[in-house]
């Protein structure tokens, strides 16, 4: 398949749920090896560069048992699935028993068949890796207890929510330092040399089965964060950080393999420096969900190398559905924005159809929801337009814009452009609930002295404009609430 594009489009699929839906649709068991070709064709028709099959690894019976005792989890299950039964809980995909594809999904052979089928359509495969913890019945628990953060009998007695005794050893439950421990997983010790070597071997096995991994809560393994979270329990802090010991040996064998970090707490740049190709841009998500357009624009002033290493999204399995968090026109404006920004762009199965129920990852099925056909058509059209090489491998720049003393609505306008060879595009988004006007200056000197055709590929409308005007004074735009222009710019 050659090299990845610089700015790929990724598609997350909740594998267990998706295969369950297909099994009901075709009225026969469907696993990764037996997905009908037309379903792969449908995915390929959107021009994705990679599919992330979320949750393929073997789930933990011990983890299921623990989750069924958790009152708040059960409430969440029933919120999402009012007719929930115990059979619907197949366990968390982030409570990994073994890094072997679950037999229910078709096992390793099923995954290999799916990967081959995707590759024929030019699509790469991304899988999960969970560095921070494993299930209580993972083989390492009995074979290598030294790989884990441990406690003592007093810990187990005084803090049973955070420590579990197994086989005569007390293990710490996995945790994020800002929240209570996760009761269904055991904490790996990022400082333990034996664990680091075992992880290199584990990730090498995963890398033989896919083209990239999404690393869950990647920042938890940074030396400084791990030391702050676990203190003396972690032992001596190693000289080298966790990711620089893991990523280079994998990249040496698979140079095109991609590492994607789920990351928060302003640690994205540090993780990029430690070898990650892309890190979640949760700050952009928050600014788009909650803040004015100006906050989004300020975020996009960051250095380009940093931005090119970010994953832009308005939905994934951890966040509310976009149709709920970005209702109506706001969701469309946000979709145009994230799909035309530099970096990786992540979309989530169900996002196009306007699903609103955020499904807990433990569940094997989801509720019926009516598909929003207009929204699906919008996404289909938008993805077609941004599948061009200029958006995958071109150069991106913010455009300057200005307003008037008596009209400050230009602050609601977001605008940027792409160029590759003779291809030029300008994106203008009114990221507000009111009408907005602005003058948008394009950064290309070669516009001067000619007339240019602006074709809005989303609306199928065209305008002739002077290059001098667009380069110097600025292109006048007037957009209704949440409306966008996606202009293809060509010389007449």
């Amino acid at each position: 398949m050659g090299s990845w594009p610089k700015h790929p489009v990724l598609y997350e699929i909740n594998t267990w749920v998706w295969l369950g839906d297909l099994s009901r649709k075709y009225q026969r068991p469907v696993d990764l090896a037996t997905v009908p070709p037309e379903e792969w064709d449908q995915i390929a028709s959107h021009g994705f560069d990679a599919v992330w099959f979320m949750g393929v690894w073997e789930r933990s019976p011990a983890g299921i048992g623990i989750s069924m005792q958790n009152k708040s989890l059960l409430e969440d299950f029933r919120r999402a699935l009012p007719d929930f039964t115990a059979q619907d809980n197949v366990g968390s995909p982030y409570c990994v028993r073994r890094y072997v594809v679950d037999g229910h999904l078709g096992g390793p052979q099923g995954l290999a068949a799916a990967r081959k089928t995707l590759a024929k359509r030019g699509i790469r495969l991304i899988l999960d890796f969970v560095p921070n913890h494993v299930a209580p019945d993972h083989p390492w628990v009995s074979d290598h207890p030294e790989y884990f953060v441990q406690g003592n009998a007093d810990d187990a007695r005084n803090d049973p929510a955070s420590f579990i005794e197994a086989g005569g050893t007390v293990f710490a439950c996995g945790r994020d330092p800002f929240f209570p421990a996760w009761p269904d997983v055991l904490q790996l010790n990022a400082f333990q040399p034996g664990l680091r070597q075992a992880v290199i071997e584990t990730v090498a096995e995963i890398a033989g089965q896919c083209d990239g991994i999404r690393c869950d809560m990647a920042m938890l393994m940074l030396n400084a964060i791990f030391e702050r979270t676990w203190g003396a329990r972690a032992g001596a802090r190693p000289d080298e950080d966790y990711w620089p010991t893991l990523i280079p040996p994998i990249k040496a064998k698979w140079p095109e393999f991609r590492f994607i970090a789920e990351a928060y707490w302003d640690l994205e740049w540090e993780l990029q420096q430690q070898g990650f190709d892309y890190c979640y841009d949760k700050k952009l998500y928050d600014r788009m969900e909650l803040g004015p357009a100006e906050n989004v624009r300020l975020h996009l002033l960051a250095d380009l190398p940093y931005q090119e290493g970010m994953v832009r999204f308005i939905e994934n399995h951890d966040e509310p559905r976009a149709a709920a968090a970005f209702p109506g026109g706001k969701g469309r404006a946000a979709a145009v924005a994230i799909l035309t920004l530099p970096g990786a762009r992540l979309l989530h199965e169900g996002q196009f159809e306007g699903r609103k129920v955020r499904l807990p990852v433990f569940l094997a099925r989801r509720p019926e929801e009516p598909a929003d056909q207009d929204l699906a058509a919008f996404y289909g059209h938008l993805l077609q337009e941004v599948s061009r090489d200029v958006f995958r491998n071109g150069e991106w720049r913010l455009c300057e814009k200005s307003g008037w003393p008596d009209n400050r609505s230009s602050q609601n306008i977001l605008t940027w452009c792409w160029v590759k060879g003779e291809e030029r595009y300008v994106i203008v988004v009114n990221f507000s609930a009111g009408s907005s006007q602005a003058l948008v200056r394009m950064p290309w000197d070669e516009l001067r002295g000619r007339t240019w055709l602006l074709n809005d590929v989303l609306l199928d409308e065209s305008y002739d404009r002077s290059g001098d005007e667009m380069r110097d004074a600025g292109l006048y735009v007037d957009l209704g609430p949440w409306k966008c222009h996606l202009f293809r710019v060509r010389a007449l």
Side-chain angles (χ1 to χ4, degrees):
M1 262 190 289
S3 298
W4 284 75
K6 194 171 181 182
H7 310 281
V9 177
L10 318 175
Y11 187 50
E12 178 187 1
I13 292 176
N14 182 330
T15 316
W16 201 299
V17 170
W18 179 65
L19 291 173
D21 280 357
L22 292 180
S23 298
R24 286 183 284 278
K25 178 178 174 180
Y26 291 96
Q27 298 187 311
R28 62 174 172 80
V30 175
D31 64 20
L32 287 168
T34 59
V35 172
E38 56 266 35
E39 298 295 337
W40 296 125
D41 291 341
Q42 175 62 25
I43 289 170
S45 72
H46 290 305
F48 301 121
D49 299 295
V51 164
W52 163 22
F53 276 135
M54 192 277 287
V56 301
W57 306 123
E58 209 171 90
R59 312 256 178 145
S60 163
I64 294 170
I66 293 166
S67 67
M68 288 303 288
Q69 307 302 313
N70 186 316
K71 191 177 168 216
S72 66
L73 265 183
L74 292 172
E75 284 172 4
D76 199 32
F77 297 165
R78 292 191 182 99
R79 168 200 58 79
L81 198 61
D83 61 344
F84 167 79
T85 68
Q87 285 70 41
D88 295 314
N89 180 4
V90 292
S92 168
Y94 298 98
C95 174
V96 176
R97 188 179 182 219
R98 289 191 306 159
Y99 282 98
V100 175
V101 180
D102 202 294
H104 177 85
L105 308 177
Q109 296 79 14
L111 183 73
R115 185 187 186 192
K116 198 171 171 185
T117 302
L118 286 168
K120 279 183 191 163
R121 291 163 171 82
I123 302 172
R124 294 163 182 81
L125 176 62
I126 294 168
L127 300 175
D128 292 295
F129 172 60
V130 189
N132 188 64
H133 49 259
V134 293
D137 44 1
H138 189 287
W140 286 347
V141 177
S142 55
D143 298 350
H144 290 284
E146 72 277 10
Y147 289 175
F148 295 83
V149 173
Q150 296 184 11
N152 56 38
D154 286 345
D155 293 318
R157 190 166 49 250
N158 297 332
D159 190 1
S162 305
F163 292 89
I164 293 174
E165 190 274 331
T169 303
V170 174
F171 296 93
C173 292
R175 70 177 310 157
D176 164 337
F178 295 107
F179 294 96
W182 295 301
D184 60 341
V185 290
L186 304 185
Q187 178 67 50
L188 292 165
N189 187 346
F191 290 175
Q192 217 278 335
L195 171 76
R196 289 190 173 192
Q197 188 52 45
V199 165
I200 291 170
E201 291 162 17
T202 298
V203 173
E205 284 176 25
I206 296 171
Q209 302 172 70
C210 63
D211 306 289
I213 50 173
R214 179 264 194 192
C215 299
D216 187 69
M217 299 289 279
M219 71 288 174
L220 293 179
M221 307 309 271
L222 294 169
N223 278 358
I225 300 293
F226 202 81
E227 187 173 54
R228 204 178 308 146
T229 306
W230 293 104
R233 293 186 195 277
R237 174 176 173 158
D239 292 333
E240 190 166 32
D241 230 305
Y242 178 93
W243 295 110
T245 63
L246 169 59
I247 293 174
I250 304 301
K251 291 268 196 179
K253 188 168 181 184
W254 294 278
E256 281 290 309
F257 196 77
R258 293 290 182 262
F259 282 82
I260 300 167
E262 179 195 15
Y264 310 107
W265 313 339
D266 294 326
L267 293 166
E268 298 84 3
W269 176 246
E270 189 171 339
L271 288 162
Q272 289 177 7
Q273 299 309 108
Q274 292 193 12
F276 275 95
D277 298 287
Y278 301 104
C279 297
Y280 272 35
D281 195 350
K282 177 66 160 65
K283 185 163 277 186
L284 177 66
Y285 172 92
D286 290 341
R287 288 182 170 196
M288 292 185 84
E289 186 196 12
L290 304 170
E294 181 62 8
N295 287 3
V296 176
R297 188 188 71 84
L298 291 172
H299 184 75
L300 299 175
L301 291 171
D303 290 345
L304 194 54
Y306 169 78
Q307 296 210 57
E308 290 174 343
M310 302 304 278
V311 181
R312 322 292 196 162
F313 57 86
I314 54 169
E315 177 175 317
N316 61 56
H317 70 263
D318 288 312
E319 304 295 347
R321 284 289 194 177
F326 296 84
K330 183 176 184 178
R332 297 187 186 208
V336 170
I338 63 150
L339 280 166
T340 58
L341 286 173
R345 302 87 175 229
L346 175 64
L347 297 156
H348 187 203
E349 195 266 331
Q351 181 173 340
F352 308 160
E353 297 79 22
R355 284 185 172 272
K356 292 181 177 173
V357 177
R358 186 191 62 79
L359 195 75
V361 292
F362 294 76
L363 299 187
R365 68 183 175 96
R366 57 189 171 190
E368 293 284 328
E369 293 187 71
D372 183 335
Q373 301 297 350
D374 285 349
L375 185 64
F378 163 81
Y379 268 106
H381 186 184
L382 176 59
L383 283 163
Q384 206 74 45
E385 295 300 337
V386 300
S387 66
R388 301 173 194 279
D389 192 47
V390 63
F391 293 109
R392 296 297 210 274
N393 293 299
E395 291 175 36
W396 174 90
R397 285 171 73 174
L398 271 178
C399 294
E400 292 178 18
K401 43 126 200 211
S402 58
W404 302 267
D406 61 343
N407 179 357
R408 308 304 298 269
S409 67
S410 64
Q411 291 196 338
N412 302 326
I413 298 285
L414 301 171
T415 180
W416 46 81
C417 58
W418 287 89
V419 62
K420 187 171 192 282
E422 292 302 304
E423 276 209 278
R424 288 184 180 81
Y425 280 82
V426 174
I427 293 88
V428 187
V429 178
N430 175 12
F431 204 69
S432 79
S435 292
S436 301
Q437 299 78 36
L439 293 169
V440 173
R441 288 185 64 221
M442 298 177 197
W444 306 306
D445 289 337
E446 59 271 28
L447 294 178
R448 292 195 180 103
R450 303 171 75 176
T451 301
W452 297 79
L453 177 69
L454 273 61
N455 174 222
D456 188 331
V457 296
L458 290 182
L459 300 176
D460 198 24
E461 294 175 356
S462 295
Y463 311 91
D464 297 351
R465 292 292 183 267
S466 147
D468 292 343
E469 175 195 322
M470 294 192 297
R471 179 69 187 95
D472 299 321
L475 173 73
Y476 176 74
V477 293
D478 182 357
L479 285 164
W482 309 114
K483 296 299 182 185
C484 312
H485 290 306
L486 183 50
F487 286 129
R488 186 176 191 181
V489 182
R490 284 184 288 182
L492 282 174

